[in-house]
Amino acid sequence: MTTMDDRPPAPRSLIDELEGHLLIEATKAEGRAEAARFTHSLACLTDTQREDVEERFTDTYLALTRRSWERTARRGRELRAEYEARYRALRRRLCAMFLLNAAFALVTVVSVSRR
């Protein structure tokens, strides 16, 4: 995988992509295991029906998990935006306080030196 300018992708992006694939595969395996557990309790199913139910269960499990991840990622972005806004506001207040104190100190020095 290379970019348009033929540079290899950054190692971090490769690691992130690999982690994503591994996470999806682990989730699929969890879904298949849960599907097998679920259909095991349904003795009335034929083998074909069991496979169909397991496939649908696994697909539904993966879709639900994906939606959960998307909600978590969206909430993470919202929290990041909130914290960044708070950080900027605090930084502005700190800078304003610093400038105010510096001006006060300058006025004090000037008034003391004039006496």
Side-chain angles (χ1 to χ4, degrees), residues 66-98:
R66 185 178 305 260
R67 284 198 300 269
S68 175
W69 291 340
E70 288 168 353
R71 279 192 306 272
T72 301
R74 184 174 47 252
R75 183 62 182 141
R77 288 188 299 272
E78 290 169 358
L79 287 173
R80 181 182 182 128
E82 288 175 25
Y83 285 119
E84 285 177 349
R86 285 184 182 178
Y87 174 77
R88 283 190 302 273
L90 287 172
R91 191 174 57 199
R92 279 192 305 270
R93 286 187 1 212
L94 180 63
C95 288
M97 290 300 293
F98 174 76

Side-chain angles (χ1 to χ4, degrees), residues 38-46 49-50:
F38 175 71
T39 58
H40 180 71
S41 66
L42 303 173
C44 60
L45 295 177
T46 66
Q49 290 171 328
R50 185 178 315 282

Side-chain angles (χ1 to χ4, degrees), residues 2-72:
T2 59
T3 58
M4 292 177 60
D5 58 3
D6 292 329
R7 285 185 289 170
R12 184 74 236 166
S13 66
L14 288 175
I15 291 170
D16 290 346
E17 189 173 332
L18 179 61
E19 285 177 342
H21 287 295
L22 292 173
L23 185 60
I24 289 170
E25 288 305 313
T27 302
K28 286 179 182 177
E30 287 174 6
R32 286 190 292 272
E34 290 300 320
R37 255 191 294 283
F38 175 71
T39 58
H40 180 71
S41 66
L42 303 173
C44 60
L45 295 177
T46 66
D47 288 342
T48 304
Q49 290 171 328
R50 185 178 315 282
E51 288 173 9
D52 186 43
V53 170
E54 286 181 5
E55 184 178 327
R56 289 178 185 212
F57 188 104
T58 302
D59 291 344
T60 301
Y61 184 89
L62 186 59
L64 289 170
T65 302
R66 185 178 305 260
R67 284 198 300 269
S68 175
W69 291 340
E70 288 168 353
R71 279 192 306 272
T72 301

